Amino acid sequence: GAVVSQHPSWVICKSGTSVKIECRSLDFQATTMFWYRQFPKQSLMLMATSNEGSKATYEQGVEKDKFLINHASLTLSTLTVTSAHPEDSSFYICSARVAGDNSPLHFGNGTRLTVT
Amino acid sequence: DAKTTQPTSMDCAEGRAANLPCNHSTISGNEYVYWYRQIHSQGPQYIIHGLKNNETNEMASLIITEDRKSSTLILPHATLRDTAVYYCIVRAPGGTLTFGKGTMLLVSP
C-alpha cells in the first residue's frame, strides 16, 4: 500500500516553455503533498507543501509564480514549472502522507527535467 | 526539527549485517526518528521509523538508545540491491522531512 505515482518520469523541454508534473496517491487520500527538488550530487530540498483545496506553502527562496502548485483533489497534486530555464533542470520528487501526523511520507519515483 | 549526523559512507560485504549509525543529540521528546534510502535516480524509499522503542519490520531493525540521542539502522543480511544513500531524519508530528547528506552504503560481493 501507500503508493505514490509521478508522471512523467522524465521530460525534455525548450527554454521558455512550461512543464507540468503530476503526483498521484494511488491507494490513499492525501490532504497534504510535498514537492522536493534534487540537484546532482546533492540532497533533496523541500520546495513547497501542497494542501488540498488551499494555497501551497513555499519554502524560502522558491518562487511561487514560477513553480505553480495545484492540489485540486485528495489524490492529485501538480507542479508546473513556468518559463523553464536551463537552471531549472533538476530531479523533482513528490511525496504524500497517509493520514496521521506520525505516518511516514511516501515518495514518487521522481521526474527528471532537462531544459535545453 | 533536530539535525542528524551520519557517516558519509560505509562499506558492507554481501550477506553480512549493515549497521548504519545516526546521531541526533538534540532530538526533542515528541520527535520521531525516520529512515529512508535512495537508490540512484529514484525517489526515496521509506524504511522504518520509531519514537523510543526498538522497531523491526521486513526491511530492517531500528535500535534507539535509551536517551534517544542516537540510533542504528540494521539491515540483517545486506544484498547488492541495498546499495543506496541512507537518510536518518528526525521529525515532529505534522512536521516536514528535512534531508541531510545521508550515508552512502556500498554493498560489495
Side-chain angles (χ1 to χ4, degrees), chain A residues 36 38 43 97 102-103 105, chain B residues 32 34 36 38 91 93 97 100:
Chain A
Y36 288 81
Q38 185 176 33
S43 190
R97 184 169 58 223
N102 298 324
S103 299
L105 290 189
Chain B
Y32 281 68
Y34 293 81
Y36 286 80
Q38 186 178 25
R91 180 176 75 96
L97 276 182

Side-chain angles (χ1 to χ4, degrees), chain B residues 33 48-56 62-65 68:
Chain B
V33 179
I48 199 166
H49 76 287
L51 181 63
K52 53 184 178 181
N53 296 324
N54 297 336
E55 302 287 345
T56 296
L62 173 61
I63 308 298
I64 303 174
T65 58
R68 302 209 323 124

Side-chain angles (χ1 to χ4, degrees), chain A residues 42 50 54 56-57 82 91 101 106:
Chain A
Q42 294 186 24
S50 166
S54 63
T57 303
T82 63
F91 192 48
D101 284 343
H106 295 276

Side-chain angles (χ1 to χ4, degrees), chain A residues 34 36 38 42-46 49 59 91 93 95 97 100-110 112, chain B residues 30 32 34 36 38 40-46 49 87 91-102:
Chain A
F34 304 86
Y36 288 81
Q38 185 176 33
Q42 294 186 24
S43 190
L44 285 79
M45 295 295 295
L46 179 65
T49 301
E59 295 299 302
F91 192 48
I93 311 166
S95 66
R97 184 169 58 223
D101 284 343
N102 298 324
S103 299
L105 290 189
H106 295 276
F107 288 80
N109 256 341
R112 176 76 57 192
Chain B
N30 66 340
Y32 281 68
Y34 293 81
Y36 286 80
Q38 186 178 25
H40 183 62
S41 294
Q42 295 183 23
Q45 178 187 22
Y46 164 74
H49 76 287
Y87 296 98
R91 180 176 75 96
T96 57
L97 276 182
T98 301
F99 286 79
K101 297 184 186 300

Side-chain angles (χ1 to χ4, degrees), chain A residues 53-81:
Chain A
S54 63
K55 291 182 178 181
T57 303
Y58 291 81
E59 295 299 302
Q60 191 172 8
V62 178
E63 300 176 55
K64 61 179 175 63
D65 294 330
K66 180 169 183 62
F67 299 98
L68 300 180
I69 291 174
N70 184 283
H71 192 161
S73 79
L74 288 173
T75 59
L76 174 64
S77 176
T78 61
L79 169 68
T80 301
V81 183

Side-chain angles (χ1 to χ4, degrees), chain B residues 82-97:
Chain B
D82 291 323
T83 291
V85 179
Y86 286 78
Y87 296 98
C88 168
I89 304 168
V90 292
R91 180 176 75 96
T96 57
L97 276 182

